[in-house]
């Protein structure tokens, strides 16, 4: 199989036509850090370069995934049965639909991503899975996300929904209006809905983190580090559940989890808030 003149290795037939496997993809870099198999040499090279400058980057991404799983279980416990995962990336073991269906059978999940590779692979693994679907859309286009989600028939916005924005908003520069996009999503949600956000920050971070941010531009999705105050503003009109916006390891750790004395090392905040 060839993609834009490049030979695609055996076992990667899931890559849709037209994808340039010689350009790193943020979704595939993330997959590599999580230990996934859906990435290419160019992704691994960039990931290793970033990791050489910020050794905690892999820990940060894995911590974010663990937070997402904890939060989905929490939301299921609060009665949420509909999940809209925006910026879902390439699904790995312990995906949102697996966690949600285990915690609350009958739950429905819609995955949203702008990366065609992530979307195509999601469609492949979701084939035959009841109650789960995927759409290709940009987090900046809330109207399209809401419209396309409605067409799938898996989520009823008249009932409570959990919107998951785990590790995605920091890929949206200020000039592209991330606040307006999140506001549109908030406005579409029924009372009793929840908004989940995890977001990279420069708060308390050493200079090498800033340099790694510059490197992230090579994927076409440069990371925008934001302060706690800036991230909290995304929850406007919603009430943060305890413990509020905190560094990821401090968000409702499981009892058996070791106490992290330096949670700031992950360089990312996490929070979950309720509407009404």
């Amino acid at each position: 199989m060839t993609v834009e003149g490049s030979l695609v290795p055996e076992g990667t037939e899931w890559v849709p036509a037209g994808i340039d496997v010689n350009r790193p993809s943020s979704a595939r870099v993330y997959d590599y850090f999580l230990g996934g198999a859906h990435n290419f040499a160019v992704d691994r090279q960039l990931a290793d370069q970033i990791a050489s400058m910020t050794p905690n980057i892999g820990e940060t991404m894995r911590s974010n995934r663990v937070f997402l799983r904890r939060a989905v279980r929490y939301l299921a416990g609060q009665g949420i049965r509909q999940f809209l995962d925006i910026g879902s990336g390439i699904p790995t073991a312990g995906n949102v639909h697996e966690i949600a269906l285990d915690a609350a059978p009958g739950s429905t999940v819609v995955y949203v991503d702008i990366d065609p590779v992530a979307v195509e692979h999601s469609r492949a693994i979701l084939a035959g899975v009841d109650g789960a679907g995927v759409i290709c859309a940009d987090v900046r286009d809330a109207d399209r996300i809401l419209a396309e989600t409605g067409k799938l028939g898996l989520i009823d916005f008249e009932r409570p929904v959990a919107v998951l924005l785990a590790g995605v908003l920091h890929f949206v520069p200020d000039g592209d209006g991330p606040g307006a996009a999140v506001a549109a999503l908030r406005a579409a949600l029924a009372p009793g809905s929840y908004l989940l956000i995890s977001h990279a920050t420069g708060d308390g971070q050493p200079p090498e983190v800033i340099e790694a941010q510059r490197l992230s531009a090579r994927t076409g999705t440069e990371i925008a580090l934001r302060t706690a105050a800036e991230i909290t503003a995304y929850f406007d009109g919603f009430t943060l559940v305890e413990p509020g916006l905190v560094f990821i390891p401090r968000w409702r750790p499981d009892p058996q989890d070791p106490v992290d004395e330096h949670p700031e090392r992950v360089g990312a905040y996490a929070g979950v808030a309720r509407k009404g």
Side-chain angles (χ1 to χ4, degrees):
M1 173 181 174
T2 59
V3 179
E4 295 195 1
S6 298
L7 181 65
V8 179
E10 288 295 323
T12 57
E13 291 79 8
W14 51 271
V15 180
I19 296 300
D20 184 359
V21 298
N22 296 304
R23 178 182 175 82
S25 154
S26 58
R28 295 194 305 259
V29 169
Y30 186 44
D31 176 73
Y32 172 65
F33 276 121
L34 291 176
H38 300 93
N39 50 77
F40 303 116
V42 66
D43 306 304
R44 296 189 287 273
Q45 289 166 3
L46 178 57
D48 290 342
Q49 187 177 2
I50 294 173
S52 70
M53 302 177 64
T54 54
N56 290 331
I57 189 69
E59 177 187 353
T60 297
M61 293 185 176
R62 289 186 290 272
S63 182
N64 183 61
R65 180 63 66 167
V66 170
F67 154 68
L68 180 60
R69 293 168 183 160
R70 287 201 307 264
V72 168
R73 287 194 294 268
Y74 166 80
L75 292 166
Q78 300 306 303
I80 294 296
R81 298 295 181 267
Q82 304 184 111
F83 298 84
L84 180 57
D85 186 0
I86 303 175
S88 53
I90 298 174
T92 57
N95 299 311
V96 170
H97 72 278
E98 293 176 338
I99 300 299
L101 289 170
D102 180 66
S107 294
T108 58
V109 178
V110 172
Y111 291 107
V112 183
D113 205 279
I114 190 57
D115 188 318
V117 172
V119 171
E120 288 305 311
H121 189 56
S122 297
R123 286 176 175 150
I125 71 166
L126 293 174
V129 177
D130 292 334
V134 59
I135 62 175
C136 186
D138 194 315
V139 65
R140 289 165 285 201
D141 194 348
D143 289 342
R144 179 179 176 184
I145 290 174
L146 295 168
E148 293 295 318
T149 298
K151 290 177 183 177
L152 288 180
L154 293 173
I155 289 181
D156 176 4
F157 286 102
E158 296 298 316
R159 299 190 294 112
V161 180
V163 172
L164 315 177
L165 296 169
V168 63
L169 290 176
H170 48 235
F171 291 123
V172 183
D174 291 339
D176 285 356
V182 178
L185 291 169
R186 292 197 309 264
L189 300 179
S193 295
Y194 286 83
L195 176 63
L196 173 154
I197 295 174
S198 58
H199 195 298
T201 184
D203 291 357
Q205 302 307 301
E208 56 265 27
V209 170
I210 308 303
E211 179 63 15
Q213 177 192 15
R214 183 187 64 80
L215 281 176
S216 71
R218 288 183 50 199
T219 68
T221 47
E222 184 173 0
I223 295 174
L225 303 178
R226 297 188 171 99
T227 66
E230 291 173 317
I231 299 167
T232 299
Y234 293 132
F235 294 105
D236 185 41
F238 283 44
T239 302
L240 281 161
V241 302
E242 291 296 332
L245 187 74
V246 294
F247 285 111
I248 287 178
R250 291 287 170 86
W251 198 89
R252 295 177 176 265
D254 292 327
Q256 67 272 21
D257 292 344
V259 177
D260 191 333
E261 299 295 343
H262 299 283
E264 73 282 354
R265 289 182 302 187
V266 303
Y269 288 114
V272 175
R274 187 179 188 277
K275 183 174 185 176

